[in-house]
């Protein structure tokens, strides 16, 4: 029976009251370790389709009579449309429709950032559509942009209310602390830049709207569109079979979808709206820049007694405030914590979720600060972290469902022990060092989450869920879980996903929730199907169902007889067995988190400021591992994206005009294969005994979280220089080296910092 | 729990051993009569989409890059390809692929009938494809065609074994009978000629084959394709959202589908293969012609003591033998029945199922014979039929699950009573009369049949089943059943069907099985969804679930409070409730049948032989009526198609060459609106108390069954002339009139018949 639970749900740091409809799940967890299929490395189910170009991405959707839309964007960071004339564009060759401010959701006459959508045309070809944009006459009133986050906070120009979270008595604890360190950290704006740009194809089938879109959340997009366009939800169908990445930027319909839907409505034709790479860099969201003013107080033995922080998040024109203070509240057993977070509303492109939003930024600040404290206390950084291990959730006092952070620390030792040997390899201007950082994140997923498993008369099974595969190998993991539970070989299980018209509700591919949410639902559905197969087999072979099991595609009786599963399934004829399953509830009163430790080895050229990451060991606790091959790929991907974030990527805007300066991949420097170090991945692989029938947590976000701090701490280990700002480019390295030299020379007092002026990286 | 049943299943007169996997269904039947939604007239759900051209038929499927296939057909009724050269066709403009005999299933080097498929090409346009056909060089060896069915039987050239069915001792009974009549009847070949011709669009998505096809059985087509092409079944997806009729001719993939699939494989492009109207008249199956040599023996009081029949079915090049002897075995309580049926294999296009195959033909013969007997006994035909009413299945002795035939007779009385007044309206050459005929057919449907009902947070429900709507209003009936069970208004329920990738196994739209099979499954799924809604509502509103019900979209508590269902469903957020349901088993040991009586009023011009049907009353027992509006439309459609069959339609072939002479709708005379009489429909509407939770039987086929005999019997009533052959065209009328005159003049002995020579209508 479905149970209704009234609960608080943390949504990126905000607590919301939600009612959850959950099902019970009575399956026992499998024992730990590899089984017939689960826990063994499996090559991606979709590898062949992807490699052969057969996988249909939104970018591949071509419908008969399809038009192409292009969007006119504001050339100013802040401006208002006084007057707009679409008539010349409408008369242009191939143009079939044109819309302006107010004609579609998110087409607005006030442009709050460079790249804000203002108008759009649909034409027979993309070339004609883009040519017609030049014929739209706009009379702009240019307004003053606000670009400085501290200035915005001073003016009270905020997105939402400041978020204040406090426990204990921070002031009293700081007053009694043996050591207090204040330090400021800054992180930059970075862009998702997924391989597939944001795009949708919309077509009206009568009163139904079908939307092919590159999204992480087909259900969320469906409901948002239905709500916005005032349609019954089942009259909107959202399809995303394959997608070329999202990283958090593809959770919502987006203006391009509404543009395509409206132009499709007006023209009666399918309309494709695909953003270019430049548009991708302007108007699809970003990880927001932060300023973090942090304080830590500790006893001489390393016990952290107080943590405080003031955070300013540069949210741009719109967005929401990620929980940058999250790591400060959750990573260490500190009784006194006080944070305030401000969301600065600026005339820059809007913030969007980006792989562990808030925690990536907050962990950089916190874990650098912890290393500053270790240096001050002259204590081993690993030992200092162990000493402040929280054996229950410090924010709520709730026990963890499982916590293998100490095991991660233990496994990190061998990598950490390399530091002496690494340092010894310093030579000439190249100094080498090792740094580490730890990490906490969510990853328990949650209900509601449903799945079906269909078994046909030919002895093959199909997992059907209306979930997405953002590119993380979801099809493979879900196939493994179903195959394991069914007792089928892996190659007899397929997965169908990505269509709200096909399959039950599934969670977004966000928040590292896919495997922990959908995995138990898939297992439950497979178990339901298995039960039905055995019920029929019991009647067919005249044996009690309890004496039968399925293994490797054969029904095995306890008396030693066995039959291929196709034999009994063949009785179904054209029909099939359908197993349905739902994920059970999260453990009541428990905190579900993932943990990890990363150890980076770097080489720094102290003359040029060049940094090379030479090795990075990532040790993570994500509960049970379904596919070790896919899991280590995920760790590697997170680390590589983290290296880009740490060393090179930055969205720059002109500090006066607010114009985005980095619109191309050439200007916006993502890491290439030459930047990728040796990556050593290690998964603790102990099922969370309290979490569902699977014991698996999520894996998508954790690996990027500690990368920046581990690298920054390694740079300090190599050079003695403390970096405070991302990206750690040559300027920042040279500044930190100068500061360290000055400090050694006694020119700077303790705690004081030389700040250099850089362009506002809001 | 699913139960495995080993049973005999009658498949068009053949008994096959089948294992059935069935679910129990614990719902009680609703009381008889109209309810909130069920039993009240409802306008078709799809009326708007169909009227506005938004409904997507296979004929509307256009895929990017789609090619058009055309098929080369044998110009001979019997021939062999000595040599075929595709090279000139392959080089023709726009041509992308060409295949010959052996390259695709059903492309054969031996052509067994005029129109048999031999080769095919795919080109950018249909025009280019058809032009290229002319460039295919074939060296034909022309073979002798066999066209006479009696000749084929004599030679032993049969499709399958002769079917002999016997009960009691016919010879002894005939020897003791007071009256014996021997009579011969012939029925012609007729064509389905559905509005949408046979067609498919095939596209390979990697190793998956997607087939859009105009079919009555997406699952059967899916499995037949998978089996034939050796693919895992779940790698074949079959889609048929809307179809323009089938009438039994669209149960299989057909050669055009295999042609499209193979050309799509070779070209890597979607391929459409749509037959023209001429091809439709050549190579898509037909109702087979029959010769029926019948004998009846009766006592003077009208008790029928023996029935015997020899049937020859002209099956053409392929097909299967429908149960033409079925009515003789099932309609009357006769203890002694013996029949033999031969399937003649001829060089004519193959037989295919056609609305009540066998029973339409067999009922014409039997029910004319019964009227001959009534005349001989000088007994009222209605009274004679009543006297021979079977109160249990005469073939097996099993009780009927329900039988309202006597009620049909009772209701027929008022129409039958009009005969005196009708006859009195004879004037000049126009003679008027009234005839009746009764009917038995299957219609109980059966498991397995599954359905889902999805309820969203906006308080709307969607019925999801992978069934077809052959055009009978399935969407409407299923919506009504779900709305009734959910307590929702009808306009809040939609239906999705026609896609094997979406929704569970459903029965073919054949054998009048849709409503009786799918209806209970839909009701069970809706009940499951309702239970889940009330479970959540009970928790939300803190009342026992038993005290809550849903009506007209509101949750009503027994204490008088009520809430809109959206309120509690809104708690689902983006998720939904999924109810699943299956049809329960048929009642064990019972015969499930539909019954009906039709009363026809005709006017016959005895000078020209012209016949006009002026009124036809159709009274049918199909159990519970879901949608009275849809049900009477079905009765009307069946009657009209029956009138065409009775009076005008006939597929003619040249008796020497076997060439099909009636390839166009101009030559093949279907009834027009001018041929449609006043049709009075009456449904007994008493739920079958033993049949599922619904008590509804099928309705698609019964109304065509008694039409021909009712009209023939009315002609005899009007003129005294006994027709023996379909169609009852002017020649047949004039022949029968001459025969009657001769008989009156004593020129012919009793029982003797003048046979005139007509072209073989095989």
């Amino acid at each position: 029976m479905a149970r209704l639970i009234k609960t608080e749900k943390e949504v990126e740091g905000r607590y919301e009251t939600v009612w959850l409809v959950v099902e019970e799940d009575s399956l026992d967890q499998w024992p730990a370790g590899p089984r017939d299929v689960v826990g063994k490395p499996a090559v991606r189910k979709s590898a062949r389709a992807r490699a052969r170009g057969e996988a249909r991405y939104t970018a591949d959707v071509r419908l008969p009579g399809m038009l192409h839309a292009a969007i006119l964007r504001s050339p100013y960071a802040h401006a208002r449309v006084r007057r707009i004339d679409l008539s010349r564009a409408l008369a242009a060759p191939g143009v079939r429709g044109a819309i302006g401010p107010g004609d579609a959701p998110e087409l607005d006459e006030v442009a709050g950032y460079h790249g804000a959508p203002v108008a759009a045309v649909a034409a027979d070809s993309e070339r004609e559509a883009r040519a017609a944009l030049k014929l739209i006459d706009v009379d702009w009133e240019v307004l003053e942009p606000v670009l400085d986050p501290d200035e915005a906070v001073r003016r009270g120009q905020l997105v939402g209310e400041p978020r204040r979270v406090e426990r204990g008595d921070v002031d009293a604890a700081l007053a009694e602390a043996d050591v207090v360190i204040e330090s400021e950290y800054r992180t930059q704006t970075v862009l998702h830049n997924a391989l597939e740009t944001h795009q949708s194809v919309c077509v009206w089938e009568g009163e139904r709207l079908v939307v092919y879109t590159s999204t992480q959340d087909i259900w969320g997009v469906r409901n948002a569109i239905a709500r916005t366009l005032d349609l019954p939800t089942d009259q909107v169908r959202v399809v995303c079979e394959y997608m070329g990445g999202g990283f958090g930027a593809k959770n919502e319909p987006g203006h391009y979808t509404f543009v395509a839907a409206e132009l499709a409505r007006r023209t009666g034709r399918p309309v494709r709206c695909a953003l270019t790479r430049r548009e991708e860099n302007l108007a699809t969201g970003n990880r927001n820049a932060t300023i973090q003013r942090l304080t830590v107080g500790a006893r001489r033995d390393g016990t952290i007694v107080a943590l405080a922080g003031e955070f300013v998040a540069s949210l741009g024109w719109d967005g929401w405030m990620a929980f940058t203070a999250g790591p400060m509240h959750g990573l260490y057993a500190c009784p006194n914590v006080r944070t305030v977070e401000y969301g600065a509303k600026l005339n820059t492109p809007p913030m969007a979720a980006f792989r562990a939003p808030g925690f990536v930024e907050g962990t950089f600040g916190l874990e650098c600060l912890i290393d500053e404290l270790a240096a001050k206390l002259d204590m081993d950084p690993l030992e200092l972290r162990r000493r402040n291990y929280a054996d229950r959730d410090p924010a709520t006092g709730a026990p963890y469902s499982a916590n293998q952070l100490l095991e991660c620390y233990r496994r990190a030792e061998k990598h950490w022990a390399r530091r002496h040997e690494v340092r010894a390899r310093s030579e000439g201007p190249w100094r080498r060092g090792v740094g580490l950082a730890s990490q906490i994140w969510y990853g328990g997923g949650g209900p509601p989450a449903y799945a079906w498993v269909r078994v046909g008369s030919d002895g093959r099974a199909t997992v059907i869920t209306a979930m997405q595969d953002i590119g993380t190998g979801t099809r493979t993991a879900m196939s493994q879980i179903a195959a394991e539970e069914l007792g089928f070989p892996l190659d007899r299980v397929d997965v169908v996903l990505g269509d709200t018209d096909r399959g039950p509700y599934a969670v977004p591919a966000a928040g590292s929730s896919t495997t922990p949410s959908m995995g138990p639902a898939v297992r439950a559905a497979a178990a339901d199907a298995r039960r039905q197969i055995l019920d029929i087999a019991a009647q067919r072979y005249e044996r009690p169902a309890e004496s039968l099991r399925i293994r490797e595609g054969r029904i095995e009786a306890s008396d030693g007889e066995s039959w291929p599963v196709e034999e009994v399934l063949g009785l179904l004829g054209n029909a099939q067995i359908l197993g349905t399953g739902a994920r059970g509830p999260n453990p009541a009163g428990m905190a579900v988190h993932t943990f990890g430790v990363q150890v980076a080895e770097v080489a720094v050229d102290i003359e040029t400021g060049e940094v090379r990451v030479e090795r990075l060991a990532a040790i993570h606790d994500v509960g049970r591992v379904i596919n070790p091959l896919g899991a280590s790929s995920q760790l590697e991907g997170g680390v590589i994206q983290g290296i880009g974030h740490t060393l090179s990527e930055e969205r720059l805007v002109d500090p006066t005009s607010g114009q985005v300066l980095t619109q191309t991949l050439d200007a916006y420097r993502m890491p290439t294969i030459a930047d990728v170090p040796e990556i050593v991945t290690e998964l603790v692989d102990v099922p969370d005994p309290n979490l569902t029938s699977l014991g698996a947590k999520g894996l998508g976000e954790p690996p990027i979280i500690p990368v920046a701090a581990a690298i920054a701490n390694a740079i300090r280990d190599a050079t003695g220089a403390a970096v405070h700002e991302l990206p750690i480019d040559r300027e920042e390295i040279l500044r930190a080296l100068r500061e360290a030299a000055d400090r050694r020379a006694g020119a700077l007092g303790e705690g004081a910092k030389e700040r250099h002026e850089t362009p506002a990286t809001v």
Side-chain angles (χ1 to χ4, degrees), chain A:
Chain A
M1 192 188 94
R3 202 146 55 81
L4 190 65
I5 300 179
K6 190 177 185 176
T7 182
E8 299 266 290
K9 192 176 176 186
E10 187 173 352
V11 181
E12 312 294 2
R14 292 164 302 179
Y15 282 88
E16 293 179 354
T17 299
V18 289
W19 294 85
L20 279 183
V21 179
V22 300
E23 306 278 336
E24 298 300 334
D25 177 2
S26 59
L27 293 169
D28 292 329
Q29 278 192 11
W30 292 311
R35 300 182 54 77
D36 285 349
V37 185
V38 159
K40 290 189 179 156
V43 172
R44 287 208 182 195
K45 275 274 172 188
S46 56
R48 189 182 164 89
R50 289 183 197 262
R52 288 160 55 119
E54 291 162 358
R56 189 171 74 157
Y57 294 77
T58 306
D60 297 313
V61 173
R62 294 286 178 276
L63 302 179
M66 187 176 80
L67 303 176
H68 299 260
I71 296 173
L72 182 73
R73 300 182 177 280
S74 170
Y76 306 107
H78 199 191
R80 202 175 61 78
V81 174
R82 275 205 204 91
R83 201 187 49 77
I84 186 165
D85 183 358
L86 302 169
S87 56
R88 283 207 301 147
L90 260 169
V95 172
R96 307 284 174 175
I99 53 178
D103 289 338
E106 304 191 28
L107 288 191
D108 204 347
E109 65 173 17
V110 176
Y113 60 95
H114 176 202
V118 174
V121 299
D124 292 338
S125 69
E126 194 179 341
R127 193 182 48 74
E128 288 168 318
R130 298 212 176 271
L133 290 185
K134 300 195 177 73
L135 303 176
I136 298 178
D137 299 311
V138 187
D139 178 8
W140 286 105
E141 177 187 358
V142 181
L143 306 170
E144 190 65 27
V146 176
L147 298 167
D148 180 79
D150 279 332
E151 166 79 11
V153 171
R154 269 193 300 277
R155 287 197 199 174
Q157 194 173 314
L158 301 177
V159 177
E161 290 296 302
R163 184 196 291 132
R164 296 173 200 279
V165 186
E166 184 164 5
R167 68 171 183 258
D169 186 337
V170 169
D171 293 330
L174 285 177
E176 290 174 19
D178 296 325
V179 178
V180 172
I181 298 177
E182 287 181 30
S183 200
E184 184 178 318
Y185 293 91
R186 287 176 183 242
T187 63
Q188 82 283 40
T189 301
V190 286
L191 294 161
H192 310 72
N193 262 319
L195 206 52
E196 184 182 43
T197 64
H198 287 63
Q199 50 196 291
S200 295
V201 178
C202 290
V203 56
W204 290 88
E205 296 178 351
E207 286 161 18
R208 285 199 97 210
L209 176 60
V210 182
V211 179
Y212 301 86
T213 186
S214 185
T215 184
Q216 303 174 224
D217 186 6
I218 55 176
W219 293 100
V221 166
R222 172 173 174 271
N223 279 30
I225 291 173
R227 204 170 44 240
T228 308
L229 302 184
D230 198 21
L231 294 168
T233 46
D234 259 7
Q235 282 187 27
V236 181
R237 175 186 175 199
V238 178
V239 180
C240 178
E241 262 186 276
Y242 284 92
M243 72 181 293
F247 306 113
K250 292 178 179 169
N251 290 329
E252 280 128 38
H255 62 278
Y256 48 95
T257 304
F258 290 116
V259 161
E262 178 59 20
L263 285 166
R265 199 185 61 74
R266 293 192 179 205
T267 59
R269 303 262 290 267
V271 174
R272 162 177 202 77
C273 187
L275 302 196
T276 62
R277 184 58 60 182
R278 279 182 187 272
E279 291 176 289
E280 189 75 11
N281 274 273
L282 281 177
T284 61
N286 49 256
R287 186 191 296 281
N288 57 265
T290 67
I291 303 168
Q292 308 176 29
R293 297 178 177 107
L294 311 182
T295 306
V296 59
R299 286 205 289 266
R300 208 163 303 281
D301 68 355
T303 308
I304 298 169
V305 295
L307 285 164
E310 183 194 273
F311 300 84
V312 178
S314 298
L315 298 187
W317 188 239
D318 197 9
W320 48 270
M321 205 156 49
F323 197 24
T324 314
M328 188 166 267
H329 286 281
L331 188 51
Y332 295 112
C334 173
N336 307 295
V337 181
R338 181 179 64 215
T339 59
V340 56
E341 294 168 90
Y342 300 96
K345 184 176 173 78
L346 304 174
N347 290 111
T348 55
M351 172 272 185
F354 191 162
R355 206 171 192 167
F359 276 52
V360 165
E361 304 87 290
T363 299
F364 169 64
L366 177 66
E367 286 290 86
C368 285
L369 183 69
I370 296 299
D371 261 39
E372 286 196 63
L373 178 63
K376 179 90 173 192
L377 294 170
D378 198 16
M379 185 178 275
D380 180 276
L382 179 54
E383 180 50 31
L384 176 60
R385 286 174 171 84
R386 268 197 180 119
R387 193 158 295 182
N388 290 286
Y389 169 75
D391 64 356
R392 47 185 50 226
D393 180 9
T396 62
Y400 291 113
S401 58
N403 182 339
Q404 301 290 340
L405 182 56
L406 287 179
E407 174 65 13
C408 293
Y409 286 140
R410 195 188 66 73
R411 296 196 188 191
E413 273 170 17
K414 59 181 175 293
H415 304 289
W416 181 233
R418 291 164 52 96
R419 64 191 183 281
H420 311 292
E421 179 264 325
V422 168
R423 286 178 198 149
R425 280 193 286 107
S426 295
E427 193 178 16
W430 284 99
R431 305 300 160 86
R432 289 183 164 78
V434 179
L436 63 82
S438 45
Q439 159 263 318
I440 187 170
W441 179 245
Y442 314 103
Y450 306 91
W452 305 334
V453 168
R454 189 162 91 169
V455 184
S457 55
D458 60 353
R460 296 185 63 88
T462 305
V463 178
I464 305 175
T465 68
M467 65 197 293
Q468 309 74 201
D469 181 356
I470 191 176
T472 51
T474 301
R475 285 176 172 84
T476 316
M478 297 303 136
S479 302
Q480 288 179 277
I481 292 165
E484 183 69 46
E485 185 63 33
L486 285 167
F488 282 22
L490 184 57
D491 63 5
R492 291 241 213 126
V493 180
D494 296 309
V495 172
V496 167
L497 48 75
D499 187 342
T500 58
D501 265 13
R502 194 178 173 200
Y505 175 76
V507 298
S512 302
S513 66
T514 296
T515 299
S517 299
M518 301 313 303
V522 168
R523 190 180 163 204
D528 185 27
R530 180 176 46 72
R531 264 191 299 271
Q532 294 179 56
I533 297 170
L534 292 183
D535 277 347
I536 299 170
Q539 297 170 70
R540 176 68 184 82
Y541 302 124
E542 297 176 350
R543 282 165 174 80
E546 310 79 62
S547 74
L548 302 174
R549 64 169 190 172
I550 315 175
R551 234 183 133 197
E552 293 181 1
R554 293 185 71 82
I555 295 171
E556 299 177 349
S558 55
D559 59 17
E561 277 214 66
S562 79
W563 311 266
V565 74
E566 307 89 273
E567 189 174 284
V568 67
L569 288 170
L571 304 179
L572 291 167
N574 289 345
Q576 327 90 27
I577 280 175
L578 182 81
T580 62
R583 182 198 197 269
N586 275 317
M590 286 184 166
V592 184
H593 287 282
T594 52
F595 303 92
V597 175
Q598 293 186 359
V599 184
E601 299 178 8
V602 302
V604 184
D605 182 328
I606 57 168
E607 287 172 2
T608 65
E610 186 181 346
V611 177
R612 288 190 202 143
V613 182
E614 297 192 319
R615 184 176 189 272
L616 198 145
I619 303 120
H620 287 268
D621 163 28
V622 297
R624 181 194 299 277
V625 175
I626 307 302
N627 180 8
L629 186 60
S632 47
S633 292
Q634 270 291 73
L635 294 186
E636 288 169 6
V639 166
I640 295 167
Q641 197 169 39
I643 289 172
H645 180 222
T646 306
L647 296 181
S648 60
E649 295 184 41
E650 182 168 23
R651 200 273 308 285
L652 291 170
V653 303
D654 180 280
T656 308
S657 69
Q659 299 258 332
V660 176
L661 303 174
T662 48
Q663 294 183 35
T664 63
L665 288 180
D666 193 40
Y668 180 87
R669 296 174 302 144
M670 300 178 78
T672 69
I673 193 65
D675 301 304
V676 176
E678 178 191 356
I679 300 175
V680 180
T681 62
E682 219 170 303
L683 289 150
V684 175
D685 196 9
V686 175
D688 181 332
N690 293 300
L691 184 66
T692 76
S693 72
L694 208 60
K697 304 176 190 178
L699 177 58
E701 287 154 306
I704 196 179
I705 295 175
V707 176
I711 293 172
N713 290 337
I715 291 169
R716 167 198 284 272
D717 186 59
T719 64
V723 293
H724 285 263
E725 195 162 319
L726 297 181
I728 309 171
D729 53 15
R730 297 184 185 203
E731 267 184 304
E732 173 64 3
I733 288 283
L734 295 176
R735 184 205 59 74
L737 284 167
R738 276 198 308 277
E739 184 189 72
D742 290 351
R743 184 171 292 128
R744 276 194 301 274
L748 281 167
E750 258 185 51
K753 289 174 296 293
E754 177 206 2
R755 301 298 307 162
H756 70 143
E757 290 304 310
T758 53
T761 62
V762 283

